[in-house]
Each structure stands twice: as C-alpha cells, then as structure tokens.
Amino acid sequence: NAGVTQTPKFRVLKTGQSMTLLCAQDMNHEYMYWYRQDPGMGLRLIHYSVGEGTTAKGEVPDGYNVSRLKKQNFLLGLESAAPSQTSVYFCASSYYLLDTQLRKLFFGSGTQLSVL
Amino acid sequence: EDKVVQSPLSLVVHEGDTVTLNCSYEVTNFRSLLWYKQEKKAPTFLFMLTSSGIEKKSGRLSSILDKKELFSILNITATQTGDSAVYLCACISSGSARQLTFGSGTQLTVLP
C-alpha cells in the first residue's frame, strides 16, 4: 500500500519557469490538500479539494493553481515561479468520519522546491 | 483568524530527560487537536484529542487537552535520541475541510 506519493522529490527552477507537482493517493480518500512548509512557519494550506472535480483556496493560494480531475490525483501548478515560492511542499489526503467530523491527514514525503 | 501557538520553539535535552511541549489555540468552532512528529520528511500522526482531561498514551508519549484553558501538552518521558524531531500541533474546526490550522512546531533535540 503506497499511501500518498509525491513527485518529484526535488526540483530547481529559474524565476518565471512553470512546473507541476503531482500527488497520488491509493486510499480512496475524498479530501486532498497541498501545504507548504517554511522555516518557523509550520504548515500553511495552499489549496484543497473535497472531491473529484472540486477545488478551493486555502490560506496562501496566490501564485498556485490546482486540479483534481481524478479522485486519486491532485496536481499543484506554478505558472511563473518566484523565489518566494522556494519551500517544501507536502500533499496530504484524509477520510471523513461522518459521525465525529474528525480527520487524520496522511502525508506524502514532500517536494523540496528551489526557485533561483 | 484561527491561531495555534507552540512553545518552546526549540528544546535541547539529554537522553533520559522528560520534556513537556505546549500548544495553545484560539480556534473558532474547535473540534479536535492533533499532534504530529516530523523527522526529515513527512509528519506522522501521534494523537488526536477531542475531550478535556482524557490522557492519551503511546509508550513514553502522552498528551492531554484542556478545552477550558485552550491548550494541550505533549509529554515525552525517558527521552531517546530517536525522539529528536519537530513536533507539530494542529487544530480542527468543524465545517469546511480547509479549517485545520497548524502551529509552527517545536524542534526537539535529544543529545546522547
């Protein structure tokens, strides 16, 4: 059982370049999330999805776009990378327990992105 | 705006010491608080706390929630070098999926 898989694990971009990060989960989870983690800032939510074909903005969405065309995949795009987007990016997925509204996140192993 | 504050930001101890990590929160429609351990890579789940006063335990780790004073503590007894990690606290609000707010974490270093 692979869980949550992120690709690539590392990437270096020049300012203005574009790229797409891929997140895939095999747990049939409805909810998927993209976070970024910067030193001393904890995890901040970029975008999230509550099901196939739906996406919504999180805390820090500017400069990013997402798509969830298939339930198992959640893509994060940077159209024109900026040095401020240098960060570690984590994808996560979760189930939803209807009776308690509780969720536990299952995280991918992260993508280290550097924008020069 | 929801807020989760962890203290201390970093902590250095020796093997065998006991440590207490703190997490305070101001969250609208609070439902639960979660603790994660993050070593080099992805955070791994430790505890989920929903009710006040009920201690959760897993080996040398334990945690408790105080919903009146809006805080939680994570205790680690007889620390080992393998406990070195960043410990993250996060709060869940009822409502939309996006309302899970993380603290900035406590960096714990356990020296041999």
Side-chain angles (χ1 to χ4, degrees), chain A residues 58-80:
Chain A
E59 184 185 350
V60 288
D62 294 342
Y64 305 95
N65 56 74
V66 288
S67 65
R68 182 110 181 257
L69 298 178
K70 292 184 178 180
K71 186 177 182 179
Q72 64 267 33
N73 296 334
F74 195 28
L75 278 63
L76 178 71
L78 286 74
E79 289 188 349
S80 179

Side-chain angles (χ1 to χ4, degrees), chain B residues 18-29:
Chain B
T18 294
V19 298
T20 298
L21 309 183
N22 304 295
C23 176
S24 64
Y25 62 90
E26 294 175 25
V27 173
T28 307
N29 298 321

Side-chain angles (χ1 to χ4, degrees), chain A residues 77-96:
Chain A
L78 286 74
E79 289 188 349
S80 179
S84 62
Q85 293 177 304
T86 294
S87 187
V88 179
Y89 291 84
F90 287 101
C91 176
S93 69
S94 73
Y95 54 88
Y96 184 93

Side-chain angles (χ1 to χ4, degrees), chain A residues 14-16 36 80-87 113-116:
Chain A
K14 293 182 180 178
T15 297
R36 62 178 286 173
S80 179
S84 62
Q85 293 177 304
T86 294
S87 187
L113 175 66
S114 296
V115 183
L116 305 177

Side-chain angles (χ1 to χ4, degrees), chain A residues 40, chain B residues 6-11 104-108:
Chain B
Q6 292 185 245
S7 64
L9 293 180
S10 65
L11 191 56
S104 57
T106 293
Q107 172 72 61
L108 174 65

Side-chain angles (χ1 to χ4, degrees), chain B residues 23-85:
Chain B
C23 176
S24 64
Y25 62 90
E26 294 175 25
V27 173
T28 307
N29 298 321
F30 173 85
R31 293 290 297 180
S32 301
L33 185 143
L34 289 79
W35 283 98
Y36 288 88
K37 177 182 182 182
Q38 185 177 25
E39 295 171 270
K40 295 288 185 183
K41 295 184 177 179
T44 53
F45 173 78
L46 293 174
F47 297 111
M48 178 184 280
L49 301 153
T50 304
S51 302
S52 275
I54 299 174
E55 187 180 33
K56 294 268 182 127
K57 282 194 163 188
S58 176
R60 296 175 294 101
L61 277 68
S62 64
S63 184
I64 198 161
L65 175 67
D66 186 328
K67 291 170 76 172
K68 182 178 177 185
E69 300 297 330
L70 308 183
F71 77 91
S72 173
I73 59 171
L74 175 67
N75 278 321
I76 309 174
T77 59
T79 52
Q80 302 171 356
T81 55
D83 295 326
S84 296

Side-chain angles (χ1 to χ4, degrees), chain A residues 4-96:
Chain A
V4 180
T5 304
Q6 285 183 238
T7 52
K9 296 193 186 307
F10 303 94
R11 186 72 186 268
V12 178
L13 292 178
K14 293 182 180 178
T15 297
Q17 287 185 318
S18 64
M19 76 161 294
T20 299
L21 306 182
L22 172 62
C23 177
Q25 53 95 3
D26 61 1
M27 296 172 282
N28 202 34
H29 285 169
E30 290 292 334
Y31 291 66
M32 296 188 75
Y33 311 80
W34 275 106
Y35 288 91
R36 62 178 286 173
Q37 186 174 33
D38 303 295
M41 299 288 287
L43 285 153
R44 293 184 292 168
L45 184 65
I46 305 171
H47 286 279
Y48 66 101
S49 168
V50 299
E52 181 178 319
T54 71
T55 64
K57 293 180 181 180
E59 184 185 350
V60 288
D62 294 342
Y64 305 95
N65 56 74
V66 288
S67 65
R68 182 110 181 257
L69 298 178
K70 292 184 178 180
K71 186 177 182 179
Q72 64 267 33
N73 296 334
F74 195 28
L75 278 63
L76 178 71
L78 286 74
E79 289 188 349
S80 179
S84 62
Q85 293 177 304
T86 294
S87 187
V88 179
Y89 291 84
F90 287 101
C91 176
S93 69
S94 73
Y95 54 88
Y96 184 93

